[in-house]
Each structure stands twice: as structure tokens, then as C-alpha cells.
Amino acid sequence: MHVAEVNHRLVASPVLRQLSVRSVMERLLLDGATSRASLSRATGLSKQTISEVMLVLTERGWVKESGMISGGVGRTAVRYEIDATAGFALGLDLGASTLRGVLADISGTVVAQHELAADGQGGQLPAQAKRLKQILLDAAKAPAERLQVATVATPGVMSPQGRLDLAPNLPGIGELDLAGQLRSALDCQVMFENDVNAAALGEYWEAGENADNHFAFVSIGTGVGLGILVDGQLLRGSSLAAGEIGYLPLGGDPFAPESLEQGALETSIGATGIVQRHQRLGGTAQTVRAIFDALEAGDRIAEETINETARIAALLVLTVTSVIDPDRVVFGGNIGGRPELVRRIGEWMPRVQKRPIRVEASRLGPRATVLGAAAMSLGQMHNSLFSTLEVPGRLGLPTLRQ
Amino acid sequence: MHVAEVNHRLVASPVLRQLSVRSVMERLLLDGATSRASLSRATGLSKQTISEVMLVLTERGWVKESGMISGGVGRTAVRYEIDATAGFALGLDLGASTLRGVLADISGTVVAQHELAADGQGGQLPAQAKRLKQILLDAAKAPAERLQVATVATPGVMSPQGRLDLAPNLPGIGELDLAGQLRSALDCQVMFENDVNAAALGEYWEAGENADNHFAFVSIGTGVGLGILVDGQLLRGSSLAAGEIGYLPLGGDPFAPESLEQGALETSIGATGIVQRHQRLGGTAQTVRAIFDALEAGDRIAEETINETARIAALLVLTVTSVIDPDRVVFGGNIGGRPELVRRIGEWMPRVQKRPIRVEASRLGPRATVLGAAAMSLGQMHNSLFSTLEVPGRLGLPTLRQ
DNA sequence: TTCATTCGTCATGCTTACGAACAAATAGGT
DNA sequence: ACCTATTTGTTCGTAAGCATGACGAATGAA
């Protein structure tokens, strides 16, 4: 089978066949390896159609035979499964101190992960990304041509001009044509996403079948951020600013000039805010990590600091549940992922909200963002390969005439 | 043409034809009357396919010829348009003092509207609804069999058992099997929706082509509520509680016991909260209406009351924009729709948020809810008639394996 | 060994859509 | 008055896709 064949999209196929291919691939992705007969039952398509579709898919290299199914009554069935090596999706997390990467194959299996210490200057970034990509491809023995999509998770916002704005932790990066340079360095379709949104998607993906499709992820670290999933889709907002919660009027006077600059909530429960609170209470710690260490050692001031932080975070949970009513709120980030903090947030909740709400700590920790980036690539790969068709789910409303 | 034919759904048609019918109907709904040739260009389907589809649609009664198009170069074209009398959608707004109704035809034109003073007791409601339905059908000369869907907008939440909960303004209504009784009284498919959500949809619908598909509607009246549209769809939340903003920690101490009972925000800017504020400031007014009257007369205490209310509402806008980033926030309800209030909210905004945000007063006023209910019925009618097909827009993610 | 069951293929027929050719109708120019 | 370019809409032939039902193959259980 030639690589050219593998890369060939199913664009030319007519509408009906595309729909059939799509439902078959969806079943294979969700259920794993199966026979044609059970695919026919699962999709409602006739056995005949399934056979035709599988013929096309094996010729194209997306699907391969994988042994037989025997043991039950009746004839043994030929088992088909997605050829996991047919396409790969890359996720990158562009952090302040590390550059993380994850490579997933088309079936959703993570086949390689690695991280590099970030060089001080942003100018090195595209070259580093290229190196990381190659390391991951080599580790997975994946040919470079089969890398279909990469997603780069970044702090701040990627401007339409391809420059990274509002990312003070990555000095000097705003001057680069980051999008263009990464596109040529990675040599495939490249997408960009906010790191908190990516982390939200990562946690959602990790939860797997238990995932409710309505989900909120709060990141507390140097700054604060919120990622929202509605019906399994990221909610980005009309100016891509959904989840920019630093300015929420919680934990400080929102009308104070510094709140307008830095944001009341961020000032209150961001890393520097927590350290300042500790110092106001008489503590001497210089970092949040030191405060958590003191907390573990039984220090009263640290206890009070974290408890007050949790109190304000509980108001944040109240705010999020009041507005979008997620099934649960997951906390992550350097600070937000701390179980000591999350437990205290949960303890505050009954005092501000009658309805119980699940408040949990991130299960993926620092890997949430990079896995979410890989998930975005994976979703994009599937949809561009098997879903070129534009079928809007619902009709829009006609113009109102009254 | 028989009514039985009109009511016949297109269920039996195979997939491909359904898709064709759908795109044709969508174009006709959005663009109005056109010729078959231009439909062919607009949909990408061939001219003969369009002709076949139109034949089916005219036979079924959904579409009819409507004169000729001449004047340009070339042969005159036969013009087709949706037969507006083929189906009707009903919206009802179940308010504390009035029962409003709107009847729209299949093309989205409001063909009748009327309201009845609500009888004191909730038990009369189904009979009143039936009467209102008949009044509207008579006014529009629409045969009852062609009423396809009705949506009833209610305060509170409709429980899965069909009882209306959390609607203190409608005493005694919680005991009724409201859903069942309305279904048999209205004698068609009946849906239920929260009144604030319906109002949000109404305002969105009214904005028409200028509507951005990302939109928030805040209602301030006896209580406070929020309706959110994401991509033109209502955001309901995982327990149908999205937009229940009464408990937001704004304008009062969220840890106070009365905040847990009544909600801090609702206590602060709900009707009674505003009156109490006025009295605390030394005023004597008993109703919000009186306060607004005094404001117009130049009263300083009223000015201060409303300004403080606007200040807290501005924090609400900040909260909503921080979380979901809508294109604009529209205020409605008895109090929220007041331009004097909305103007002051807009004046407070620059003090808490750098990014400008459009804050506007409802254009539909008290009719927003009933129009939104009609819009829901209309959408449901279109989708059940022309979109029986289940085609998910995007593929889901496979299980994560790592 | 027989039988019920399941898998997969083959042959057939139906529905749908498309392309090309063509007839019909019109405006505008000569 | 006539011709031409343009647009509309139909007819006819062709191809694609799917379903149906019959059939052979392979298997476990009685």
C-alpha cells in the first residue's frame, strides 16, 4: 500500500457513500474491532453495503483485517479494525518552562510522549517543536508523512495575524510569526488553542465513557482560567474570550483600579495573590509551593491562607454552576490541582449553594493540556478524513415577520 | 389537497431524498419565493432533482406555485414558495397575570396574537389555554388539524413528572398534572420551556439576520434569570439549571443565611430588593414602578437606588461576559427592560471591564417570551417535518488509551 | 451425523441523482 | 419583423448506491 493512497481523502465519494463510510468508521472507532455482520446490525446498513464500504476502506488503508472471531454458534467471522498506523495526531503544550508533546494514532491510542526543557528565548521554539515532533515520530516508528494534524496549546490568544498575544510568561514571543513558523516547522495542518481550553478537553477525554458532555475545568496557577465543554464541544465565545475569568468580581473590589488592570479574581487567587495573602496574615513564604509545604507541616497561617483561597474558589464554582450548570467542575493547574485545596473548596460549597455539585481535582495533572491538544488534532483528523460533508444538525429559524 | 396529506410526514423517504428536500426547504424558508433554476444554483443540486423534489413537495402541500418571475433576460420562471397555511406553530406564555399566545405559520410569519387575563386559580389554566388556542386559530382562519406544535413557556422548571416546580407566582399550580392536561387541551405536540430561556430565544429571533449566534439575555423582574444561546441553540445545562443566576455572589454576602435561601443577587436586584434599597436610602416607594416614576421626576433617592442597582447589574454583565463571552447582553423583564436602567448599566461597564461590550434593552418587551415560545415550536416543526434524519454534525472522540 | 445458526457473497431491482441535449420563452438589438 | 443570446425547465440515458432474498460456507450443539 502506498503512502499516497493512505493520504488520499474520501472527498470525491458521493454523498450517500460518505455517510455510510462515516457511520462505519464511527462504530469502529468507538467499539473497536468487529465483523462486517455486526457492523451491519450496528449501523442499520445492509451487509452488502458494509462489504462494499470495507473494501474501499481497506484499499485506502484506513482499515485492515485482524484475524477471525470464533467460539459462538455459526460460521467464523472476519474481524476488521482500524489500521492504527494509517494516521497520527500531534499535540503540543507550549509552557513557560517545558515543551510537552504527545503523539496519538488514529484509534486514539497515545503512542509516544516526551518533553523538552524550554529554551529561554521564544525564537528557538519552532526548531524545538520540530525536534520534538521527530523524537515522537521516531519513538512510535511513524513515518512523517502520516502525521495529519498538530495542535499547539498556548497561553494567551493567537491573533488572526498568527502572533501570540497576552502571554507574559513567554517573553519575546509576541514578535514572532509563530503560526507561520510552526506551520512550516511541523509540516502538516496546524491548529492553535488556548491552554486552558485544551486542558479542559484533555480532562474530558480522559473521563472517557463516563464523561458527561457538559463540563467545566478551572485552572489556577500563575493566572486563572476556565474551559467549558457544551455537548462535548469547546465553548469559545464570540471573541474567543469565553473562560477569561481573571476579571470576575470575586475576592476583591472589582471597581478598584488594579482590578481593572489585573483582574479581581486573578489578584485574589492567582499565585502572587495567594503569596500576598499569606504575607498579610503574617507568613513569610515566597512561593505557593512553600505555603502548601507549611500547610502539610500543620502551619496555622498556611491553613488560613489556603482556606481563604478555597472560600473564594467556592464562589467561583457557584458562579460557573449558576451560569452554565455543568455536571461537574474539575480543578487543575499548578495550584488548582492540589487535592488539599480542592477538598476545602468542596467543604465550602454547601454554605453557598444548596444543590450539590461535584468538585474534583484534575486526574491528568500537568499532562491535561498536551493530551487535550492531541485530542483536538485527533478530532480534526477524523472529521476532515471522514466527514467532509456539511450536514447541519438542525435547521435555522426563518426570519421573523410580524 | 387533503389534510391527511398535509399532515403526512416525509419519514418514509430514503436518506438521500430527505437531504435534498431539507436543503430545498431550508433555502425556501430563508430566501422566500424563488424559481427552480435558482434553487438548483443555491443548493448545488441538479435542475431535474429540484423539479422532482418540488413535485413531491407540492403534492404533499408544503409548497405551492406563486406566479411567474419575468423582467430579466431569458424565459420567465415559475416561482415557488412555501404554502404558509400548511402548518402552524403555537407559543404560549404562562405569566402570573396574563396568558399570552402567538400563532406563527410555517414560514415564520406571526399570523395572530392575543392575551387573556389569568384566572386566579391554576386549575383553570388548561381550559384557558384551549380557549386561547381557538381564538388564535380563528383569527388566522387556520384549521385546528394544521396546528403541529405548541410550546408553553413557564416560570420555574417542568419536572419530568409533568408538574411545574419553583413557580411561586402561580399558586397551586404545582399540584396539577400540568403537562398532561395541556397536552390534551391543546391537542398537538406540546413542549415546555423556561420563560427566560424562551425570552432569550425570542430576542434572538427578532434580531434576525443581524443575530450573532452567541447571545445572552438577562431578565430582571420579580426574580432574576439568564438565558444563553450558543450557536443559535439554547444552553440548558446538565440539570436544566443553566442561567439560574439568583444565587450569584453579587450585591450581597453570599455566605449569609438568607443568600442561601433566596440568593444574593436576587435579594439585591430583584423587585423586592430594589424597593428595600430605596427604603434604606430613605425613600417611601412601595413598588419599583413608583421608583422609576420618581426617577423621571428627578428624585435623588430614586436616582441613587437605580444607579446602585445598575452598578450591581454591571457586575452581572461582567460575570456573564467573563464566562461565556457573548456578542452582546440584552436586558429584559419588567425592570431589566427599562432603558433608564440599561443606560446606567452601560455607563458602569467601563469601570469594571476594558473590553467594550454591547449592553442593550429588550426590543420586544413583554412579548419576548411568547415569541420565543413560538420560535421553539416553529423550529421543532421544521425539524420534525424536514429533518427526521439523525446525522450528527461531528464525530465524537474515541476512548483515550494511554 | 444432522440441524440450526451465523457469516458473507451474488444476482437482481429499485430509487435517486446527474449530465447532455433540447424545447420553450423572453429581452434586446438590428 | 427578425435574429441572437440567455435563461428556464423537461426528456432521456447512465451511473451509483443500497436493499432484498437466495445461496454457499463454516461452525457448535444435539
Side-chain angles (χ1 to χ4, degrees), chain B residues 14 16-17 20 45-46 48-49 71-76:
Chain B
L16 211 43
R17 176 51 61 91
S20 304
L45 298 169
S46 68
Q48 328 71 273
T49 302
V73 178
R75 174 175 165 180
T76 39

Side-chain angles (χ1 to χ4, degrees), chain B residues 296-336:
Chain B
E296 195 166 3
D299 181 65
R300 292 293 286 272
I301 296 180
E303 165 70 33
E304 209 171 325
T305 306
I306 298 303
N307 198 42
E308 174 65 6
T309 306
R311 191 182 70 89
I312 294 163
L315 295 181
L316 172 57
V317 175
L318 171 61
T319 299
V320 172
T321 55
S322 295
V323 175
I324 61 164
D325 182 29
D327 179 67
R328 66 191 211 276
V329 180
V330 172
F331 276 81
N334 278 339
I335 302 170

